[in-house]
């Protein structure tokens, strides 16, 4: 026991104070490595043998996670003192470590504060106190866990999943091992959000994480990759083993309904996986290719899995996509995105009513790519809004330069909700008043049926500018005439697939005639596309179709036919 001055009469002794604070004091003779403790040490180190506490080496042997923490702290304290402190003053330190008498015991977290006395070459002594610090350590551990783990599932969050993935890739390279990275995507989670709310969706996500977790082996890693996806790192796993594991994960997810506060919910998931490092040597490659495999599995069937494997055609298409992306962006920058004009004429008089503006891309070698060659690729690569912006600029310029022409332009589904497109058209309308009345915006029937409320808002904004709306390729989808009336469209363009054979097909004749009759009753103008012969044109005129376009009338060309007075479109469009 440490000796000290006698306590002041009536005052508590140092031992009493230490006991009340839950602390114990010690003196550590560094030369002999012996440690002398106050009586309170037995209460603090309850499960640690007294013999282990008698020396610095014995105490260090029980410390975790770093056994050398005390000697390192002592060295740093001495160095700090000798660097600037007075010779008769000790260098202080404060450290935290875990200790337990055996692996079966619970780790006890200790905070130790001490200072050393004695100059270099002299006998060193350390005096200090220790106290139990379990609560603080638990709080810090909880904060650390929250910073590393997803709060809904308890799995690693995305940032730490990616760190674990990078470490696994490095480890596989160093030790020539392999693993499988999986993306598990919950099918149709958005429907659960819409039907029951986000809180129920969180219950579903948490339960799926729990079900996956019970099927993982020791050493495997799970993390929340995104809202509806989990990432799994399956260590030392072959492709065959991964296929078996994937089926087990899918089976445990779909085996039983998930009980939520709003009732039972049935859920399936799909899995995309990749063998690493065989087919991926970086995080980006592993993630992108697992995502490709996941999309492949979903296209095949929800609730299935797919392993990524090299595919010559897919890699070739990816190279083409990269090249075409560069070509489209370059063409936009160099103003090689242009439009051609296809006449739409009155069915009776054959006088031009308006011209449809179709996108063209002039290549560097002088060749011209048509809309079917440009638009699908631009949509797939996320460039269609840039193309639509350019077409809008060209159409507005033509309308401003020719005050009697009427033009239509096609826009993609993405553009209908693009705030930048609206900003552009609003500024152009203000700069060129009166132009909107001569512009027709064509949207496909597919767009019209996606979300009627959103499309109705789009139609309303266009019509508020004074423009008109046409539904293109009508008949190819499932839009009802009731929805057309709700949307307030001005023109229906009947899909040419039905029009081109009306001279030979009774079914197509009945279909087209019915659409013309219903449109007329609703006060909607009709355009028949792909009109190729006089017989078809006469039939359409007799049925009351308002306008026709196609090979018979003339295909799209870069020339501006309205510059010829005889080809100027007639304004009667009411």
């Amino acid at each position: 026991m440490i000796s000290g001055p006698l306590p002041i009469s009536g005052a508590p002794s140092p031992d009493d104070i230490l006991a009340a604070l839950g602390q114990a004091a010690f003196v550590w003779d560094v030369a002999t490595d012996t440690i002398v403790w106050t009586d309170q040490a037995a209460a603090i180190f309850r499960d640690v043998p007294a013999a282990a506490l008698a020396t610095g080496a014995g105490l260090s042997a029980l410390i975790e996670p770093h056994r050398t923490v005390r000697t390192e702290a002592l060295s740093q304290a001495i160095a700090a003192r000798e660097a600037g402190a007075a010779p008769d003053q000790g260098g202080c330190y404060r450290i935290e470590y875990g200790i337990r008498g055996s692996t079966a015991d619970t780790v006890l977290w200790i905070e130790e504060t001490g200072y050393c006395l004695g100059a270099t070459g002299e006998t060193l002594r350390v005096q200090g106190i220790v106290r139990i610090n379990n609560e603080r350590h638990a709080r810090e551990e909880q904060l650390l866990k929250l910073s590393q783990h997803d709060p809904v599932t308890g799995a690693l969050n995305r940032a730490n999943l990616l760190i674990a993935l990078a470490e696994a890739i490095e480890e596989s390279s160093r030790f020539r091992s392999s693993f499988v990275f999986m993306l598990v995507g919950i099918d149709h989670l958005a429907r659960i959000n819409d039907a029951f709310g986000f809180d129920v969706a969180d219950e579903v996500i948490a339960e799926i994480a729990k079900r996956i977790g019970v099927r993982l082996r020791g050493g495997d890693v799970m993390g929340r990759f995104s809202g509806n996806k989990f990432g799994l790192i399956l260590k030392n796993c072959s492709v065959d083993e991964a296929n078996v594991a994937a089926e087990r994960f899918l089976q445990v997810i779909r085996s039983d309904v998930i009980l939520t506060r709003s009732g039972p919910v049935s859920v399936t998931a799909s899995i995309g996986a990749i063998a690493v490092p065989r087919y991926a040597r970086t995080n980006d490659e592993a993630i992108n290719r697992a995502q490709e495999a996941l999309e492949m599995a979903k296209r095949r069937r929800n609730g299935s899995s797919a392993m990524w494997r090299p595919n010559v055609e897919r890699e070739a298409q990816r190279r083409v996509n990269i090249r075409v992306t560069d070509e489209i962006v370059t063409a936009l920058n160099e103003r090689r995105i242009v439009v051609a004009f296809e006449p739409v004429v009155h069915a009776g008089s054959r006088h031009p009513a308006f011209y449809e503006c179709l996108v063209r891309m002039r290549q560097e070698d002088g060749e011209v790519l048509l809309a079917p060659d440009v638009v699908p690729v631009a949509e797939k690569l996320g460039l269609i809004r840039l193309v639509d912006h350019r077409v809008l600029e060209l159409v507005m310029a033509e309308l401003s330069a020719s005050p009697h022409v009427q033009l239509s332009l096609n826009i993609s589904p993405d553009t209908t909700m693009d705030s930048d497109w609206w900003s552009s058209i609003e500024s152009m309308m203000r700069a060129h008043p009166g132009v909107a009345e001569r512009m027709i915006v064509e949207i496909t029937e597919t767009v019209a049926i996606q979300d009627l409320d959103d499309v109705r808002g789009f139609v309303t904004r266009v019509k508020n500018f004074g423009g008109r709306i046409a539904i293109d390729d009508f008949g190819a989808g499932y839009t009802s005439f009731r929805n057309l009336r709700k949307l307030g469209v001005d023109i229906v363009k009947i899909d040419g697939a039905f029009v081109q054979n009306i001279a030979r097909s009774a079914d197509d004749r009945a279909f087209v005639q019915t659409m013309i009759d219903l449109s007329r009753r609703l006060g909607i103008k009709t355009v028949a596309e792909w009109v190729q012969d006089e017989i078809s044109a006469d039939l359409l005129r007799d049925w009351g179709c308002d306008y026709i376009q196609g090979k018979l009338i003339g295909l799209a060309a870069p020339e501006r036919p309205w510059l010829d007075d005889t080809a100027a479109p007639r304004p009667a469009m009411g």
Side-chain angles (χ1 to χ4, degrees):
M1 179 167 174
I2 297 175
S3 60
L6 292 174
I8 300 172
S9 177
S13 68
D15 285 354
D16 292 337
I17 296 174
L18 289 172
L21 296 175
Q23 299 178 350
F26 67 89
V27 174
W28 177 19
D29 188 320
V30 178
T32 62
D33 197 33
T34 57
I35 303 178
V36 179
W37 297 89
T38 59
D39 292 340
Q40 291 74 30
I44 291 177
F45 300 104
R46 188 166 301 168
D47 298 319
V48 179
L53 299 175
T55 63
L59 177 60
S60 295
L62 303 179
I63 288 177
E64 53 186 74
H66 306 296
R67 292 186 175 183
T68 59
V69 63
R70 298 185 77 247
T71 54
E72 289 174 357
L74 176 61
S75 298
Q76 292 172 5
I78 293 172
R81 181 195 63 187
E82 294 185 347
D88 60 340
Q89 292 181 342
C92 297
Y93 67 88
R94 176 175 293 178
I95 55 175
E96 184 180 88
Y97 50 83
I99 187 170
R100 53 181 167 176
S102 68
T103 55
D105 295 334
T106 302
V107 175
L108 189 68
W109 289 96
I110 301 295
E111 180 186 279
E112 177 179 319
T113 305
Y115 65 95
C116 54
L117 296 172
T120 303
E122 300 178 4
T123 301
L124 285 177
R125 286 187 307 125
V126 178
Q127 297 180 356
I129 58 174
V130 296
R131 70 183 185 92
I132 296 175
N133 200 24
N134 285 336
E135 291 183 3
R136 176 181 169 185
H137 183 79
R139 286 196 302 271
E140 290 176 351
E141 285 289 300
Q142 180 64 19
L143 290 173
L144 180 62
K145 182 177 179 180
L146 290 174
S147 70
Q148 295 179 340
H149 292 75
D150 172 56
V152 174
T153 63
L156 290 178
N157 57 26
R158 181 187 175 100
N160 284 278
L161 173 65
L162 298 184
I163 291 172
L165 178 58
E167 290 174 348
I169 292 174
E170 182 183 358
E171 181 181 295
S172 68
S173 175
R174 188 187 314 137
F175 299 107
R176 303 195 175 204
S177 58
S178 63
F179 68 93
V180 169
F181 178 66
M182 288 184 176
L183 282 179
V184 183
I186 305 172
D187 299 326
H188 306 306
L189 183 64
R191 294 182 185 176
I192 297 173
N193 279 329
D194 294 340
F196 302 105
F198 290 99
D199 53 344
V200 172
D202 282 349
E203 289 184 60
V204 170
I205 293 167
E207 176 60 25
I208 288 177
K210 188 184 302 182
R211 293 185 182 187
I212 295 173
V214 299
R215 290 292 188 273
L216 293 176
R217 305 163 304 171
D220 291 340
V221 177
M222 176 172 65
R224 181 102 176 262
F225 181 76
S226 64
N228 69 329
K229 295 185 186 76
F230 294 96
L232 306 180
I233 301 171
L234 307 184
K235 302 285 187 69
N236 300 313
C237 183
S238 68
V239 170
D240 290 340
E241 290 169 336
N243 287 327
V244 173
E247 183 52 40
R248 287 176 178 169
F249 293 140
L250 296 179
Q251 196 278 332
V252 75
I253 291 171
R254 66 174 177 254
S255 60
D256 295 307
V257 296
I258 296 175
L259 300 179
T260 71
R261 70 189 72 181
S262 296
V265 177
S266 179
V267 179
T268 61
S270 302
I271 294 178
I274 182 167
V276 185
R278 183 177 183 183
Y279 295 131
R281 295 188 176 275
T282 66
N283 269 22
D284 287 344
E285 285 183 348
I287 292 167
N288 291 337
R289 291 173 179 177
Q291 182 66 45
E292 283 182 23
L294 176 59
E295 291 170 359
M296 189 166 37
K298 286 179 176 288
R299 283 195 300 270
R300 182 194 306 152
R301 175 176 53 84
N302 282 334
S304 64
S305 65
M307 289 290 299
W308 190 94
R309 289 180 175 83
N311 182 293
V312 175
E313 292 182 2
R314 182 177 60 213
E315 293 303 313
Q317 184 60 52
R318 182 175 287 108
R319 288 192 292 271
V320 169
N321 290 345
I322 293 171
R323 177 177 57 79
V324 173
T325 298
D326 182 64
E327 289 179 358
I328 292 175
V329 172
T330 303
L332 284 164
N333 291 333
E334 296 178 357
R335 295 295 191 261
R336 288 188 283 107
I337 297 293
V338 296
V339 291
F341 309 96
E342 183 167 313
V344 179
V345 303
H346 292 271
S349 67
R350 304 285 177 90
H351 289 304
F354 62 94
Y355 297 90
E356 182 177 357
C357 299
L358 300 172
V359 68
R360 300 286 187 263
M361 187 173 84
R362 289 200 194 105
Q363 296 182 287
E364 292 179 341
D365 60 4
E367 293 293 319
V368 176
L369 293 181
L370 305 182
D373 301 315
V374 177
V375 172
V377 178
E379 287 181 333
K380 183 178 181 180
L381 301 178
L383 299 172
I384 192 61
R385 287 184 288 185
L386 297 177
V387 174
D388 284 349
H389 274 263
R390 176 59 180 158
V391 171
L392 174 63
E393 291 174 356
L394 294 170
V395 169
M396 295 297 291
E398 295 292 346
L399 290 170
S400 300
S402 303
H404 301 296
V405 74
Q406 299 183 50
L407 302 176
S408 72
L409 72 156
N410 297 273
I411 64 169
S412 70
D414 289 342
T415 303
T416 60
M417 298 297 120
D418 183 6
S419 58
D420 290 339
W421 192 84
W422 282 111
S423 299
S424 298
I425 197 171
E426 286 173 354
S427 62
M428 290 179 187
M429 293 297 181
R430 285 193 293 268
H432 305 283
V435 165
E437 288 77 4
R438 294 181 286 117
M439 184 178 70
I440 302 165
V441 178
E442 298 189 20
I443 58 176
T444 63
E445 185 180 7
T446 305
V447 175
I449 63 176
Q450 281 180 349
D451 190 318
L452 283 176
D453 290 335
D454 285 343
V455 175
R456 187 186 296 119
F458 172 83
V459 170
T460 300
R461 293 183 74 173
V462 171
K463 293 171 80 70
N464 286 342
F465 285 132
R468 284 163 288 170
I469 289 288
I471 299 293
D472 198 13
D473 299 330
F474 188 77
Y478 302 96
T479 304
S480 68
F481 276 88
R482 181 179 64 181
N483 289 337
L484 288 183
R485 185 166 57 183
K486 284 182 178 179
L487 291 173
V489 301
D490 303 286
I491 302 169
V492 165
K493 302 187 74 174
I494 303 171
D495 190 352
F498 300 104
V499 175
Q500 63 180 344
N501 292 317
I502 58 174
R504 295 173 294 277
S505 169
D507 290 340
D508 287 346
R509 283 197 297 274
F511 184 78
V512 172
Q513 192 172 4
T514 299
M515 284 200 288
I516 292 171
D517 183 58
L518 288 172
S519 297
R520 185 172 62 250
R521 292 173 184 273
L522 292 173
I524 300 173
K525 298 293 184 180
T526 50
V527 177
E529 301 178 307
W530 298 9
V531 179
Q532 304 192 50
D533 52 64
E534 288 290 350
I535 296 175
S536 299
D538 291 341
L539 287 171
L540 291 163
R541 178 199 59 208
D542 295 341
W543 293 339
C545 183
D546 297 289
Y547 313 105
I548 58 175
Q549 74 178 115
K551 185 177 180 181
L552 177 66
I553 306 304
L555 299 179
E559 295 77 21
R560 296 163 176 77
W562 58 86
L563 297 180
D564 177 2
D565 290 340
T566 60
R570 303 301 171 90
M573 290 281 297

